[in-house]
Amino acid sequence: MNKIIYLDAAASALKPESVINTEMEFLRESYANSGRGICPRAAAVDNMVMRARESVASFINAKPEQIVFTSGSTDGLNRIVNIITGQPWYNGGRFAVSDLDHHSARLPWEALLHRGKISKMSVCDLDENFDVKIDSVPQCDFLVITAMSNVLGRAQDVAGIIAAARNKNPDVITIVDAAQYVVHNKIDVEKWDCDFLVFSGHKIGADTGIGILYIRDSQKYFPDKFGGGMVMSVRESGLDLESAPEKWEAGTLPLTQIAGLVPAIKYLEQNRPNLDLIKYMYDELLNNPRIKILTKRDSALLSFVVDGMHILDVGTYLGAYGICVRVGNCCASWIHKKMGVPGCARASVGAWNTMDDARAFVNAINKIVK
Ligand SMILES: Cc1ncc(COP(=O)(O)O)c(C=O)c1O
């Protein structure tokens, strides 16, 4: 059996020991619920949640009350739509997307469009590098921005896109999907001037079941979820909400996963993926005439198709050599359509990968694709 070489960081990151140990210690030594008790254990868990929130806030230059724990990017992106459409002022409007979007970012809006709850959808143009053309950003009320496509791995000029949208409509609500971007680049929500932003814990080395939703005006909106922990009092004719962030977090939080966030962020900040491995794989695959590379040399990942070979076969053959890559449409149908391919094979690296892994990938590809 070949050694397993995991080149699928963009789907989900392997976990640093510090994350595993922190979660195990939390479960073994200090588990209790948060936001519900005053006993020493409950207070310690409240403290842990507070520290995690502060750590996430400083990671993206936000304030702790702007950080909401969700179950992941998909949850956050769907919640944003529910938050916006649940406001008393919501009355439809125009929304804009791009073909870089992941299904999770765009489908919740498209679903609204199909139900007649939104008046117009525009798609921003892409330039010859498949980057969002800033001058094509339309006048709109809601704008979805994929900070880095999970197929092309190129950082977008988020600040420039938002500035262009605000130029045309100062009240535009901007939503950033940073699920891939956050792994490779520092985020500054203040500089970007965005209204909402999401990312998933599992892609930055934390656990599954935890995500971050940044809400700039977190006190302003009426919440989308109701339950324990988010109201101060219930009156005969209404309710008094807790202030943010508590008002956004009805029900018991994913505490173990939250415990893993602090070590995950610390580890990621000190160990960003080594993109020289991507450059090496790119240079090697470039020599193979049957391979068409879809990404650039300096992208954060490598996507490609093979002439005369079904993409699922590429994944299966690589798997037989112990190499794990993602194959298929990567939940990003629109960009594949734009590029004229039904799907691709995608290799992506994390801090655990070495040049030997990259060489093993290239050797396997050269055996499979002659
Ligand atoms: C760009 C992008 N957005 C959103 C998501 C959805 O993330 P999750 O499945 O963690 O909710 C992904 C996951 O692949 C992604 O790459």
Side-chain angles (χ1 to χ4, degrees), residues 65-97:
E65 63 271 20
Q66 295 171 318
I67 302 297
V68 178
F69 293 124
T70 63
S71 70
S73 299
T74 304
D75 184 31
L77 289 160
N78 277 273
R79 284 190 66 181
I80 292 166
V81 172
N82 293 336
I83 292 166
I84 291 172
T85 57
Q87 302 307 309
W89 48 259
Y90 181 77
N91 186 21
R94 304 153 295 177
F95 82 103
V97 293

Side-chain angles (χ1 to χ4, degrees), residues 72-74 102 104 148 150 177 179-180 200 202-203:
S73 299
T74 304
H102 190 275
S104 301
M148 177 181 279
N150 62 323
D177 174 357
Q180 296 291 336
S200 299
H202 70 95
K203 289 193 202 282

